[in-house]
Structure formats: C-alpha cells, structure tokens
Amino acid sequence: MSFNWISANEISINSILLMDRWMLQQLMGLSDSPMYDTSEEYRILLGTIFAYNPTIVWYFKNRCPEAADRVDQLIALIPDTLSSEEVKESEASFIDMMDTMFVYLQPEIMNSKCPYIRDWDSDKLLSIVDFSDKLVLDIGSGTGRLAFAAATVARKVYASEPCDRMREFMRDKIMKKQISNVVVLDGTIEAIPFEDDTFDITMCGYVMGLDIKQEVASLERVTKNGGYIINCMGDDDRKNDKPNERLLEEGFKYSHYVSKTDGDVYRYWKKVNK
Ligand SMILES: C[S@@+](CC[C@H](N)C(=O)[O-])C[C@H]1O[C@@H](n2cnc3c(N)ncnc32)[C@H](O)[C@@H]1O
C-alpha cells in the first residue's frame, strides 16, 4: 500500500544504508513483514538493487548476517544485462512499494507530510481516558505523536520503538524541549520489555494488525488490572465505514470522527479486567 508520503525519485536507494538491523530483517522477511514471501515482484526488485549496488550488499551482509543467504539467492535471480535506466526504475519502484519503511528513515518528513500526524490534535487522545498522574506505555511510538501528547498530563511515559532513527528523533526532541517525563527505548509489540502489570495505560497507533489477538494479549500483560489499552489513530484520509471488527471482538469500545482530509478516524479503548 502506498501512502504517497514521499516521492520515490527524490529518495536515494543508499537510504538502505541508514536502516538498522530490525528494518533490514523486515525487508528480508526475517521478521513480521510478509512481502518477501508473498510477492515475486518484490523479490525481483530487491534482487536488482542487490545485484547492482555492491555497497548495499556489503552493508546488508554485515549488519544483518542472518540475511546473507537470502541476499545471494536474490542476486542469482537477476540478469547482469540491465541498463542503468532499468536499475534506476527498479530502485524507484522498490522505494515506492516500501514507502513506509523509507519514510521511517526521515522522521522530519513523517511529521510534516503524514496527515495522520500533521493534522492531529492531542485532545483526541487525552479525551479518551484520564491520563493525570498515570504511568503510560506507548508501543511503536514513531515520532512520538501519542507519547508526547500523553506526557503533557501523565506522570511518566515510556515510548517504545524498534526503529533507531525514530528513537533518535524522539530523544532529540526530548533534549531540545527539555521534556523530563518521556523515556525512549527499543521494543516491539510482540516482545514488550516490561514486567506484567506495570502500566496504568498502554497505547499504540498504526501498530496492531498482523495478529490482533496476540497483540492485545501482549498489551494486556503489561497493563494493570483496571487500566486501559488504547489504539488511537491519527487524522488520516482513509475512508472506512465501519470500525475494526477484530478489535471489537477483543472487547474494545470505539468512537468515530471525520478528519480534515475527509477520512474516517476511529479511536479504540478497552478497560482491562484480569
Ligand atoms: C505508522 S507508524 C505510527 C507511529 C505512531 N504510533 C503514531 O501513530 O504516530 C508505525 C510505527 O510502529 C513501529 N513498528 C512497526 N512494527 C512494530 C512492531 N512489531 N512493534 C512495535 N512497533 C512497531 C514502526 O517502527 C513505526 O514507528
């Protein structure tokens, strides 16, 4: 799915050299990204990038050694007769296809161009439950849309994010704005790096989806009895005439509003009963 956040022609394929190991694993189907296994076109495009960019191959194999065999398998699929225009076209198509990953390397672009962040108002989070004096976890914080909003009211917010460029972006903001109650750390929704029953509120936005049952169970584990789990989307432009049924099956309540860009925005919350 393309969100048109970036223009592929303005992004260098060398951006891959900025990716951390978690991102490289995603590109290679070694974590949760299904693209590698399901799309022949995807593998050919990535193989072309490897076959014609030896520095990227070197980086990939050293930064993510578990992907080395797959890199060689992809290179073997590609003829050595492609013109430089054909290679450039493949690189642009790959960037376009994986624009979410490439935009994660450019947090400033995310903040200024992604409507779900740009047009969003923090009251949309703070009106869901009372954040006063609460201990909060934000999973998959990205640029910190939810974490920094919660921190205006909460006692302390842990912002967990697997992509190191995003963590750097949040840490820079914390330093610049002298925010004292946000702590940034690594972690995924599948493996939340906290003890059971730690938080009053756990929240996320645009992170759940691959296995909602497991993801909710994971958030529930670290949430105290009587606490809340929140899934708070931003002001995106996606039309959607009904809420996510799988979240409703997991016991979430929701409210709906129409964003400035005419999208249907749903916010979900669930009180935890253990
Ligand atoms: C579309 S962004 C949303 C960022 C932020 N939650 C927001 O709503 O503004 C999704 C974020 O989730 C992170 N992410 C992706 N897979 C994840 C996972 N399995 N566990 C935790 N975070 C993940 C990405 O690195 C990215 O920063």
Side-chain angles (χ1 to χ4, degrees):
M1 171 166 48
S2 173
F3 291 94
N4 302 315
W5 288 339
I6 53 176
S7 161
N9 292 321
E10 290 166 13
I11 303 279
S12 163
I13 199 62
N14 285 333
S15 302
I16 290 177
L17 302 173
L18 296 173
M19 289 187 179
D20 56 44
R21 187 177 180 186
W22 175 78
M23 296 184 88
L24 300 181
Q25 287 173 338
Q26 295 241 315
L27 289 189
M28 296 306 281
L30 294 168
S31 62
D32 313 313
S33 170
M35 287 296 272
Y36 184 94
D37 291 325
T38 55
S39 165
E40 171 78 5
E41 184 194 1
Y42 177 88
R43 291 193 297 278
I44 297 291
L45 292 176
L46 188 52
T48 304
I49 290 165
F50 288 141
Y52 288 85
N53 290 281
T55 308
I56 291 178
V57 170
W58 180 90
Y59 176 71
F60 233 99
K61 288 184 170 180
N62 282 278
R63 191 75 186 83
C64 185
E66 61 275 32
D69 288 348
R70 288 190 173 194
V71 171
D72 289 336
Q73 285 159 15
L74 292 184
I75 292 172
L77 301 172
I78 310 302
D80 59 8
T81 50
L82 298 184
S83 66
S84 57
E85 284 74 28
E86 286 170 317
V87 173
K88 277 261 158 295
E89 226 170 81
S90 295
E91 291 172 356
S93 299
F94 185 77
I95 292 168
D96 202 36
M97 192 184 251
M98 298 305 287
D99 65 353
T100 47
M101 296 293 271
F102 285 90
V103 87
Y104 290 168
L105 299 170
Q106 317 225 19
E108 296 80 9
I109 290 187
M110 249 178 107
N111 260 356
S112 58
K113 288 208 175 165
C114 299
Y116 75 87
I117 299 175
R118 190 193 57 209
D119 296 342
W120 187 71
D121 173 351
S122 59
D123 279 351
K124 293 287 189 315
L125 172 70
L126 300 176
S127 58
I128 298 177
V129 297
D130 182 9
F131 279 79
S132 313
D133 205 33
K134 298 290 192 298
L135 188 62
V136 178
L137 173 66
D138 180 26
I139 283 285
S141 296
T143 57
R145 175 178 67 95
L146 298 173
F148 290 117
T152 59
V153 181
R155 176 161 37 103
K156 192 163 191 174
V157 180
Y158 286 86
S160 169
E161 167 56 49
C163 172
D164 70 358
R165 297 280 288 189
M166 297 290 181
R167 292 198 300 273
E168 281 170 20
F169 179 82
M170 287 189 284
R171 287 189 176 123
D172 287 348
K173 180 166 172 172
I174 286 167
M175 286 246 287
K176 208 151 76 191
K177 305 224 160 174
Q178 301 198 318
I179 296 168
S180 60
N181 63 341
V182 177
V183 177
V184 175
L185 70 154
D186 193 359
T188 62
I189 194 165
E190 297 81 17
I192 300 178
F194 286 97
E195 303 286 322
D196 297 358
D197 306 325
T198 301
F199 295 97
D200 302 305
I201 300 170
T202 52
M203 59 185 187
C204 60
Y206 303 99
V207 175
M208 283 200 248
L210 279 177
D211 183 344
I212 285 188
K213 204 170 189 52
Q214 277 250 296
E215 290 157 353
V216 173
S218 187
L219 295 173
E220 244 166 21
R221 181 186 69 73
V222 294
T223 311
K224 291 176 189 165
N225 188 28
Y228 283 90
I229 300 176
I230 294 173
N231 184 22
C232 185
M233 317 313 252
D235 281 30
D236 64 41
D237 53 7
R238 286 184 252 181
K239 301 295 271 179
N240 198 347
D241 61 4
K242 53 180 190 317
N244 184 318
E245 274 168 22
R246 285 181 296 159
L247 285 173
L248 303 192
E249 280 163 20
E250 292 300 319
F252 281 80
K253 298 188 178 349
Y254 73 93
S255 77
H256 165 270
Y257 64 92
V258 176
S259 72
K260 280 184 207 158
T261 42
D262 213 22
D264 292 293
V265 186
Y266 292 91
R267 299 174 293 163
Y268 303 87
W269 64 93
K270 175 182 181 177
K271 186 164 185 175
V272 173
N273 285 306
K274 294 193 170 173

mmCIF file of all heavy atoms in Angstrom, residues 3 5 22-23 26 32 100-101 104 110-111 116-117 138-146 160-163 166 187-191 203-207 210 215 232-234 238, ligand 1:
data_model
loop_
_atom_site.group_PDB
_atom_site.id
_atom_site.type_symbol
_atom_site.label_atom_id
_atom_site.label_comp_id
_atom_site.label_asym_id
_atom_site.label_seq_id
_atom_site.Cartn_x
_atom_site.Cartn_y
_atom_site.Cartn_z
ATOM 1 N N PHE A 3 1.201 5.322 0.625
ATOM 2 C CA PHE A 3 0.518 6.446 1.256
ATOM 3 C C PHE A 3 0.884 7.779 0.601
ATOM 4 O O PHE A 3 0.441 8.815 1.034
ATOM 5 C CB PHE A 3 0.902 6.521 2.737
ATOM 6 C CG PHE A 3 0.357 5.393 3.546
ATOM 7 C CD1 PHE A 3 1.104 4.257 3.778
ATOM 8 C CD2 PHE A 3 -0.911 5.467 4.084
ATOM 9 C CE1 PHE A 3 0.607 3.223 4.539
ATOM 10 C CE2 PHE A 3 -1.419 4.433 4.842
ATOM 11 C CZ PHE A 3 -0.664 3.306 5.067
ATOM 12 N N TRP A 5 3.603 9.433 0.847
ATOM 13 C CA TRP A 5 4.260 10.297 1.809
ATOM 14 C C TRP A 5 5.519 10.884 1.223
ATOM 15 O O TRP A 5 5.967 11.949 1.610
ATOM 16 C CB TRP A 5 4.647 9.498 3.049
ATOM 17 C CG TRP A 5 3.477 9.117 3.891
ATOM 18 C CD1 TRP A 5 2.242 9.719 3.899
ATOM 19 C CD2 TRP A 5 3.429 8.087 4.869
ATOM 20 N NE1 TRP A 5 1.451 9.107 4.831
ATOM 21 C CE2 TRP A 5 2.141 8.109 5.442
ATOM 22 C CE3 TRP A 5 4.350 7.152 5.328
ATOM 23 C CZ2 TRP A 5 1.760 7.233 6.440
ATOM 24 C CZ3 TRP A 5 3.968 6.292 6.320
ATOM 25 C CH2 TRP A 5 2.683 6.327 6.874
ATOM 26 N N TRP A 22 16.778 -4.271 12.565
ATOM 27 C CA TRP A 22 15.345 -4.599 12.601
ATOM 28 C C TRP A 22 14.686 -4.282 11.252
ATOM 29 O O TRP A 22 13.894 -5.064 10.732
ATOM 30 C CB TRP A 22 14.671 -3.822 13.748
ATOM 31 C CG TRP A 22 13.198 -3.989 13.805
ATOM 32 C CD1 TRP A 22 12.515 -5.063 14.300
ATOM 33 C CD2 TRP A 22 12.194 -3.076 13.322
ATOM 34 N NE1 TRP A 22 11.157 -4.867 14.176
ATOM 35 C CE2 TRP A 22 10.938 -3.657 13.579
ATOM 36 C CE3 TRP A 22 12.246 -1.820 12.715
ATOM 37 C CZ2 TRP A 22 9.735 -3.029 13.246
ATOM 38 C CZ3 TRP A 22 11.053 -1.197 12.390
ATOM 39 C CH2 TRP A 22 9.813 -1.800 12.647
ATOM 40 N N MET A 23 15.058 -3.144 10.671
ATOM 41 C CA MET A 23 14.459 -2.778 9.372
ATOM 42 C C MET A 23 14.939 -3.726 8.274
ATOM 43 O O MET A 23 14.163 -4.135 7.407
ATOM 44 C CB MET A 23 14.801 -1.329 9.009
ATOM 45 C CG MET A 23 14.220 -0.326 9.970
ATOM 46 S SD MET A 23 14.528 1.370 9.453
ATOM 47 C CE MET A 23 13.113 1.659 8.403
ATOM 48 N N GLN A 26 13.091 -6.838 8.383
ATOM 49 C CA GLN A 26 11.746 -6.669 7.815
ATOM 50 C C GLN A 26 11.797 -6.765 6.287
ATOM 51 O O GLN A 26 10.974 -7.442 5.674
ATOM 52 C CB GLN A 26 11.190 -5.305 8.205
ATOM 53 C CG GLN A 26 10.952 -5.158 9.686
ATOM 54 C CD GLN A 26 9.515 -4.905 10.023
ATOM 55 O OE1 GLN A 26 8.878 -4.088 9.370
ATOM 56 N NE2 GLN A 26 8.993 -5.586 10.993
ATOM 57 N N ASP A 32 8.344 -9.676 10.807
ATOM 58 C CA ASP A 32 6.901 -9.814 10.562
ATOM 59 C C ASP A 32 6.435 -9.394 9.170
ATOM 60 O O ASP A 32 5.256 -9.441 8.879
ATOM 61 C CB ASP A 32 6.129 -8.953 11.568
ATOM 62 C CG ASP A 32 6.659 -9.167 12.952
ATOM 63 O OD1 ASP A 32 6.832 -10.326 13.311
ATOM 64 O OD2 ASP A 32 6.915 -8.175 13.634
ATOM 65 N N THR A 100 6.588 3.205 3.415
ATOM 66 C CA THR A 100 6.526 3.357 4.876
ATOM 67 C C THR A 100 7.928 3.169 5.475
ATOM 68 O O THR A 100 8.342 3.945 6.329
ATOM 69 C CB THR A 100 5.570 2.342 5.533
ATOM 70 O OG1 THR A 100 5.831 1.061 4.999
ATOM 71 C CG2 THR A 100 4.125 2.678 5.290
ATOM 72 N N MET A 101 8.652 2.159 4.995
ATOM 73 C CA MET A 101 9.990 1.910 5.547
ATOM 74 C C MET A 101 10.929 3.089 5.255
ATOM 75 O O MET A 101 11.730 3.478 6.110
ATOM 76 C CB MET A 101 10.606 0.638 4.943
ATOM 77 C CG MET A 101 9.875 -0.612 5.270
ATOM 78 S SD MET A 101 9.979 -0.988 7.030
ATOM 79 C CE MET A 101 11.458 -1.945 7.073
ATOM 80 N N TYR A 104 10.258 6.048 7.412
ATOM 81 C CA TYR A 104 10.723 5.872 8.797
ATOM 82 C C TYR A 104 12.162 6.368 8.960
ATOM 83 O O TYR A 104 12.601 6.652 10.063
ATOM 84 C CB TYR A 104 10.673 4.405 9.231
ATOM 85 C CG TYR A 104 9.281 3.835 9.430
ATOM 86 C CD1 TYR A 104 9.083 2.469 9.582
ATOM 87 C CD2 TYR A 104 8.166 4.665 9.463
ATOM 88 C CE1 TYR A 104 7.811 1.938 9.754
ATOM 89 C CE2 TYR A 104 6.896 4.144 9.621
ATOM 90 C CZ TYR A 104 6.721 2.776 9.765
ATOM 91 O OH TYR A 104 5.478 2.261 9.935
ATOM 92 N N MET A 110 8.054 12.562 8.010
ATOM 93 C CA MET A 110 6.856 11.967 8.608
ATOM 94 C C MET A 110 6.042 13.044 9.312
ATOM 95 O O MET A 110 4.840 13.170 9.114
ATOM 96 C CB MET A 110 7.261 10.918 9.646
ATOM 97 C CG MET A 110 6.951 9.510 9.240
ATOM 98 S SD MET A 110 7.520 8.358 10.484
ATOM 99 C CE MET A 110 5.985 7.857 11.220
ATOM 100 N N ASN A 111 6.711 13.824 10.141
ATOM 101 C CA ASN A 111 5.984 14.822 10.930
ATOM 102 C C ASN A 111 5.341 15.897 10.077
ATOM 103 O O ASN A 111 4.264 16.385 10.379
ATOM 104 C CB ASN A 111 6.933 15.487 11.933
ATOM 105 C CG ASN A 111 6.768 14.900 13.307
ATOM 106 O OD1 ASN A 111 5.902 14.050 13.515
ATOM 107 N ND2 ASN A 111 7.563 15.328 14.238
ATOM 108 N N TYR A 116 -1.785 11.987 9.215
ATOM 109 C CA TYR A 116 -2.243 11.450 10.499
ATOM 110 C C TYR A 116 -1.502 12.076 11.669
ATOM 111 O O TYR A 116 -1.985 12.084 12.791
ATOM 112 C CB TYR A 116 -2.181 9.912 10.521
ATOM 113 C CG TYR A 116 -0.816 9.300 10.669
ATOM 114 C CD1 TYR A 116 -0.272 9.070 11.923
ATOM 115 C CD2 TYR A 116 -0.069 8.922 9.557
ATOM 116 C CE1 TYR A 116 0.983 8.492 12.071
ATOM 117 C CE2 TYR A 116 1.181 8.345 9.695
ATOM 118 C CZ TYR A 116 1.695 8.140 10.945
ATOM 119 O OH TYR A 116 2.942 7.568 11.085
ATOM 120 N N ILE A 117 -0.307 12.632 11.407
ATOM 121 C CA ILE A 117 0.427 13.347 12.455
ATOM 122 C C ILE A 117 0.175 14.849 12.329
ATOM 123 O O ILE A 117 -0.171 15.522 13.296
ATOM 124 C CB ILE A 117 1.942 13.073 12.333
ATOM 125 C CG1 ILE A 117 2.231 11.578 12.487
ATOM 126 C CG2 ILE A 117 2.722 13.876 13.356
ATOM 127 C CD1 ILE A 117 3.681 11.193 12.255
ATOM 128 N N ASP A 138 3.735 3.697 25.407
ATOM 129 C CA ASP A 138 3.345 3.856 24.001
ATOM 130 C C ASP A 138 4.190 2.876 23.190
ATOM 131 O O ASP A 138 5.422 2.940 23.212
ATOM 132 C CB ASP A 138 3.609 5.298 23.554
ATOM 133 C CG ASP A 138 3.226 5.536 22.104
ATOM 134 O OD1 ASP A 138 2.349 4.817 21.584
ATOM 135 O OD2 ASP A 138 3.818 6.462 21.494
ATOM 136 N N ILE A 139 3.530 1.983 22.476
ATOM 137 C CA ILE A 139 4.253 0.955 21.711
ATOM 138 C C ILE A 139 4.296 1.351 20.238
ATOM 139 O O ILE A 139 3.257 1.677 19.652
ATOM 140 C CB ILE A 139 3.528 -0.401 21.868
ATOM 141 C CG1 ILE A 139 3.843 -1.017 23.215
ATOM 142 C CG2 ILE A 139 3.898 -1.368 20.772
ATOM 143 C CD1 ILE A 139 5.225 -1.616 23.316
ATOM 144 N N GLY A 140 5.481 1.313 19.647
ATOM 145 C CA GLY A 140 5.623 1.730 18.243
ATOM 146 C C GLY A 140 5.383 3.223 18.126
ATOM 147 O O GLY A 140 4.596 3.687 17.316
ATOM 148 N N SER A 141 6.126 3.988 18.932
ATOM 149 C CA SER A 141 5.866 5.434 19.078
ATOM 150 C C SER A 141 6.109 6.242 17.816
ATOM 151 O O SER A 141 5.564 7.338 17.682
ATOM 152 C CB SER A 141 6.780 6.015 20.159
ATOM 153 O OG SER A 141 6.486 5.462 21.391
ATOM 154 N N GLY A 142 6.968 5.758 16.929
ATOM 155 C CA GLY A 142 7.290 6.543 15.730
ATOM 156 C C GLY A 142 7.935 7.855 16.141
ATOM 157 O O GLY A 142 8.908 7.888 16.898
ATOM 158 N N THR A 143 7.380 8.967 15.683
ATOM 159 C CA THR A 143 7.941 10.277 16.041
ATOM 160 C C THR A 143 7.405 10.761 17.390
ATOM 161 O O THR A 143 7.711 11.867 17.814
ATOM 162 C CB THR A 143 7.622 11.321 14.950
ATOM 163 O OG1 THR A 143 6.187 11.368 14.791
ATOM 164 C CG2 THR A 143 8.257 10.968 13.627
ATOM 165 N N GLY A 144 6.568 9.966 18.020
ATOM 166 C CA GLY A 144 6.103 10.300 19.379
ATOM 167 C C GLY A 144 4.786 11.053 19.441
ATOM 168 O O GLY A 144 4.494 11.704 20.443
ATOM 169 N N ARG A 145 3.985 10.934 18.372
ATOM 170 C CA ARG A 145 2.691 11.638 18.359
ATOM 171 C C ARG A 145 1.910 11.398 19.651
ATOM 172 O O ARG A 145 1.513 12.350 20.343
ATOM 173 C CB ARG A 145 1.864 11.146 17.149
ATOM 174 C CG ARG A 145 0.458 11.706 17.065
ATOM 175 C CD ARG A 145 -0.251 11.189 15.810
ATOM 176 N NE ARG A 145 -0.514 9.770 15.821
ATOM 177 C CZ ARG A 145 -1.651 9.201 16.214
ATOM 178 N NH1 ARG A 145 -2.658 9.950 16.602
ATOM 179 N NH2 ARG A 145 -1.808 7.887 16.185
ATOM 180 N N LEU A 146 1.715 10.127 20.014
ATOM 181 C CA LEU A 146 0.908 9.804 21.195
ATOM 182 C C LEU A 146 1.697 10.021 22.483
ATOM 183 O O LEU A 146 1.166 10.533 23.470
ATOM 184 C CB LEU A 146 0.433 8.344 21.118
ATOM 185 C CG LEU A 146 -0.475 8.002 19.928
ATOM 186 C CD1 LEU A 146 -0.736 6.498 19.867
ATOM 187 C CD2 LEU A 146 -1.805 8.755 20.021
ATOM 188 N N SER A 160 8.229 3.220 23.366
ATOM 189 C CA SER A 160 8.968 2.064 22.869
ATOM 190 C C SER A 160 8.885 2.015 21.343
ATOM 191 O O SER A 160 7.790 2.100 20.778
ATOM 192 C CB SER A 160 8.336 0.809 23.495
ATOM 193 O OG SER A 160 8.824 -0.335 22.887
ATOM 194 N N GLU A 161 10.044 1.888 20.703
ATOM 195 C CA GLU A 161 10.072 1.998 19.241
ATOM 196 C C GLU A 161 11.243 1.175 18.686
ATOM 197 O O GLU A 161 12.389 1.370 19.097
ATOM 198 C CB GLU A 161 10.207 3.495 18.883
ATOM 199 C CG GLU A 161 10.564 3.795 17.451
ATOM 200 C CD GLU A 161 9.611 3.199 16.419
ATOM 201 O OE1 GLU A 161 8.392 3.351 16.541
ATOM 202 O OE2 GLU A 161 10.123 2.553 15.476
ATOM 203 N N PRO A 162 10.953 0.237 17.750
ATOM 204 C CA PRO A 162 12.038 -0.621 17.249
ATOM 205 C C PRO A 162 12.986 0.040 16.238
ATOM 206 O O PRO A 162 14.081 -0.465 16.005
ATOM 207 C CB PRO A 162 11.282 -1.784 16.591
ATOM 208 C CG PRO A 162 9.938 -1.242 16.239
ATOM 209 C CD PRO A 162 9.641 -0.166 17.236
ATOM 210 N N CYS A 163 12.589 1.153 15.656
ATOM 211 C CA CYS A 163 13.407 1.770 14.588
ATOM 212 C C CYS A 163 14.320 2.832 15.206
ATOM 213 O O CYS A 163 13.847 3.788 15.825
ATOM 214 C CB CYS A 163 12.465 2.378 13.556
ATOM 215 S SG CYS A 163 13.283 3.351 12.320
ATOM 216 N N MET A 166 13.836 6.641 14.571
ATOM 217 C CA MET A 166 12.705 7.218 15.306
ATOM 218 C C MET A 166 13.098 7.477 16.765
ATOM 219 O O MET A 166 12.730 8.491 17.339
ATOM 220 C CB MET A 166 11.516 6.257 15.303
ATOM 221 C CG MET A 166 10.971 5.989 13.950
ATOM 222 S SD MET A 166 10.152 7.461 13.324
ATOM 223 C CE MET A 166 9.633 6.803 11.777
ATOM 224 N N GLY A 187 11.955 -1.870 21.448
ATOM 225 C CA GLY A 187 10.978 -2.909 21.804
ATOM 226 C C GLY A 187 9.886 -3.009 20.760
ATOM 227 O O GLY A 187 9.592 -2.049 20.060
ATOM 228 N N THR A 188 9.305 -4.195 20.664
ATOM 229 C CA THR A 188 8.196 -4.412 19.726
ATOM 230 C C THR A 188 6.954 -4.821 20.488
ATOM 231 O O THR A 188 7.033 -5.209 21.657
ATOM 232 C CB THR A 188 8.535 -5.546 18.729
ATOM 233 O OG1 THR A 188 8.712 -6.752 19.477
ATOM 234 C CG2 THR A 188 9.758 -5.238 17.911
ATOM 235 N N ILE A 189 5.832 -4.787 19.808
ATOM 236 C CA ILE A 189 4.579 -5.164 20.456
ATOM 237 C C ILE A 189 4.575 -6.661 20.772
ATOM 238 O O ILE A 189 3.914 -7.103 21.711
ATOM 239 C CB ILE A 189 3.361 -4.759 19.585
ATOM 240 C CG1 ILE A 189 2.072 -4.842 20.403
ATOM 241 C CG2 ILE A 189 3.251 -5.598 18.317
ATOM 242 C CD1 ILE A 189 0.891 -4.135 19.783
ATOM 243 N N GLU A 190 5.336 -7.425 20.021
ATOM 244 C CA GLU A 190 5.391 -8.872 20.261
ATOM 245 C C GLU A 190 6.230 -9.175 21.507
ATOM 246 O O GLU A 190 6.028 -10.195 22.146
ATOM 247 C CB GLU A 190 6.012 -9.611 19.065
ATOM 248 C CG GLU A 190 5.231 -9.506 17.765
ATOM 249 C CD GLU A 190 5.481 -8.210 17.007
ATOM 250 O OE1 GLU A 190 6.487 -7.509 17.291
ATOM 251 O OE2 GLU A 190 4.663 -7.866 16.134
ATOM 252 N N ALA A 191 7.209 -8.326 21.787
ATOM 253 C CA ALA A 191 8.112 -8.586 22.923
ATOM 254 C C ALA A 191 8.284 -7.281 23.699
ATOM 255 O O ALA A 191 9.289 -6.583 23.556
ATOM 256 C CB ALA A 191 9.462 -9.093 22.412
ATOM 257 N N MET A 203 -0.741 2.098 25.079
ATOM 258 C CA MET A 203 -1.407 2.633 23.890
ATOM 259 C C MET A 203 -0.551 2.430 22.648
ATOM 260 O O MET A 203 0.667 2.168 22.733
ATOM 261 C CB MET A 203 -1.709 4.119 24.084
ATOM 262 C CG MET A 203 -0.479 4.936 24.342
ATOM 263 S SD MET A 203 -0.890 6.645 24.709
ATOM 264 C CE MET A 203 0.751 7.345 24.738
ATOM 265 N N CYS A 204 -1.183 2.554 21.519
ATOM 266 C CA CYS A 204 -0.457 2.484 20.250
ATOM 267 C C CYS A 204 -1.320 3.115 19.148
ATOM 268 O O CYS A 204 -2.508 3.368 19.349
ATOM 269 C CB CYS A 204 -0.111 1.038 19.891
ATOM 270 S SG CYS A 204 -1.536 -0.026 19.723
ATOM 271 N N GLY A 205 -0.689 3.355 18.012
ATOM 272 C CA GLY A 205 -1.395 3.871 16.840
ATOM 273 C C GLY A 205 -0.729 3.325 15.598
ATOM 274 O O GLY A 205 0.492 3.428 15.452
ATOM 275 N N TYR A 206 -1.486 2.676 14.747
ATOM 276 C CA TYR A 206 -0.964 2.088 13.492
ATOM 277 C C TYR A 206 0.096 1.019 13.747
ATOM 278 O O TYR A 206 1.068 0.919 12.993
ATOM 279 C CB TYR A 206 -0.385 3.168 12.571
ATOM 280 C CG TYR A 206 -1.336 4.264 12.214
ATOM 281 C CD1 TYR A 206 -1.305 5.478 12.888
ATOM 282 C CD2 TYR A 206 -2.292 4.078 11.221
ATOM 283 C CE1 TYR A 206 -2.189 6.499 12.576
ATOM 284 C CE2 TYR A 206 -3.183 5.093 10.903
ATOM 285 C CZ TYR A 206 -3.129 6.297 11.578
ATOM 286 O OH TYR A 206 -3.997 7.286 11.261
ATOM 287 N N VAL A 207 -0.052 0.268 14.800
ATOM 288 C CA VAL A 207 0.917 -0.798 15.084
ATOM 289 C C VAL A 207 0.229 -2.157 15.065
ATOM 290 O O VAL A 207 0.767 -3.122 14.529
ATOM 291 C CB VAL A 207 1.619 -0.563 16.447
ATOM 292 C CG1 VAL A 207 2.535 -1.726 16.795
ATOM 293 C CG2 VAL A 207 2.424 0.736 16.410
ATOM 294 N N LEU A 210 -1.188 -7.319 12.491
ATOM 295 C CA LEU A 210 -0.741 -8.612 11.952
ATOM 296 C C LEU A 210 -1.440 -9.770 12.661
ATOM 297 O O LEU A 210 -1.891 -10.721 12.024
ATOM 298 C CB LEU A 210 0.773 -8.761 12.123
ATOM 299 C CG LEU A 210 1.637 -8.060 11.089
ATOM 300 C CD1 LEU A 210 3.105 -8.223 11.428
ATOM 301 C CD2 LEU A 210 1.346 -8.598 9.681
ATOM 302 N N GLU A 215 -1.468 -9.412 19.829
ATOM 303 C CA GLU A 215 -1.009 -8.059 20.147
ATOM 304 C C GLU A 215 -1.760 -7.511 21.361
ATOM 305 O O GLU A 215 -1.164 -6.910 22.257
ATOM 306 C CB GLU A 215 -1.185 -7.147 18.925
ATOM 307 C CG GLU A 215 -0.223 -7.496 17.805
ATOM 308 C CD GLU A 215 -0.670 -7.051 16.417
ATOM 309 O OE1 GLU A 215 -1.822 -6.560 16.269
ATOM 310 O OE2 GLU A 215 0.103 -7.220 15.471
ATOM 311 N N CYS A 232 -5.125 4.507 19.120
ATOM 312 C CA CYS A 232 -5.588 5.844 18.707
ATOM 313 C C CYS A 232 -4.985 6.235 17.359
ATOM 314 O O CYS A 232 -3.811 6.601 17.267
ATOM 315 C CB CYS A 232 -5.200 6.861 19.775
ATOM 316 S SG CYS A 232 -5.825 8.508 19.462
ATOM 317 N N MET A 233 -5.807 6.140 16.335
ATOM 318 C CA MET A 233 -5.344 6.523 15.005
ATOM 319 C C MET A 233 -5.255 8.053 14.918
ATOM 320 O O MET A 233 -5.890 8.759 15.698
ATOM 321 C CB MET A 233 -6.298 6.021 13.913
ATOM 322 C CG MET A 233 -6.789 4.610 14.128
ATOM 323 S SD MET A 233 -5.473 3.482 14.544
ATOM 324 C CE MET A 233 -5.388 2.572 13.069
ATOM 325 N N GLY A 234 -4.503 8.540 13.933
ATOM 326 C CA GLY A 234 -4.410 9.984 13.713
ATOM 327 C C GLY A 234 -5.406 10.415 12.647
ATOM 328 O O GLY A 234 -6.257 9.626 12.222
ATOM 329 N N ARG A 238 -8.106 7.934 5.175
ATOM 330 C CA ARG A 238 -8.693 6.668 4.712
ATOM 331 C C ARG A 238 -10.191 6.625 4.982
ATOM 332 O O ARG A 238 -10.621 6.916 6.094
ATOM 333 C CB ARG A 238 -8.006 5.485 5.396
ATOM 334 C CG ARG A 238 -6.619 5.259 4.819
ATOM 335 C CD ARG A 238 -6.008 4.044 5.421
ATOM 336 N NE ARG A 238 -4.939 4.419 6.334
ATOM 337 C CZ ARG A 238 -4.204 3.548 6.995
ATOM 338 N NH1 ARG A 238 -4.414 2.268 6.891
ATOM 339 N NH2 ARG A 238 -3.240 3.951 7.785
HETATM 340 C C1 LIG B 1 2.871 4.250 11.113
HETATM 341 S S1 LIG B 1 3.999 4.462 12.425
HETATM 342 C C2 LIG B 1 2.978 5.153 13.700
HETATM 343 C C3 LIG B 1 3.761 5.874 14.750
HETATM 344 C C4 LIG B 1 2.937 6.348 15.958
HETATM 345 N N1 LIG B 1 2.401 5.223 16.705
HETATM 346 C C5 LIG B 1 1.810 7.236 15.514
HETATM 347 O O1 LIG B 1 0.670 6.761 15.475
HETATM 348 O O2 LIG B 1 2.070 8.398 15.197
HETATM 349 C C6 LIG B 1 4.221 2.804 12.990
HETATM 350 C C7 LIG B 1 5.399 2.684 13.963
HETATM 351 O O3 LIG B 1 5.370 1.375 14.511
HETATM 352 C C8 LIG B 1 6.687 0.848 14.528
HETATM 353 N N2 LIG B 1 6.544 -0.604 14.437
HETATM 354 C C9 LIG B 1 6.482 -1.384 13.337
HETATM 355 N N3 LIG B 1 6.354 -2.683 13.674
HETATM 356 C C10 LIG B 1 6.305 -2.711 15.025
HETATM 357 C C11 LIG B 1 6.180 -3.755 15.988
HETATM 358 N N4 LIG B 1 6.085 -5.022 15.605
HETATM 359 N N5 LIG B 1 6.165 -3.430 17.290
HETATM 360 C C12 LIG B 1 6.274 -2.138 17.685
HETATM 361 N N6 LIG B 1 6.392 -1.108 16.819
HETATM 362 C C13 LIG B 1 6.419 -1.386 15.512
HETATM 363 C C14 LIG B 1 7.373 1.470 13.335
HETATM 364 O O4 LIG B 1 8.769 1.495 13.502
HETATM 365 C C15 LIG B 1 6.738 2.858 13.314
HETATM 366 O O5 LIG B 1 7.487 3.779 14.044
#
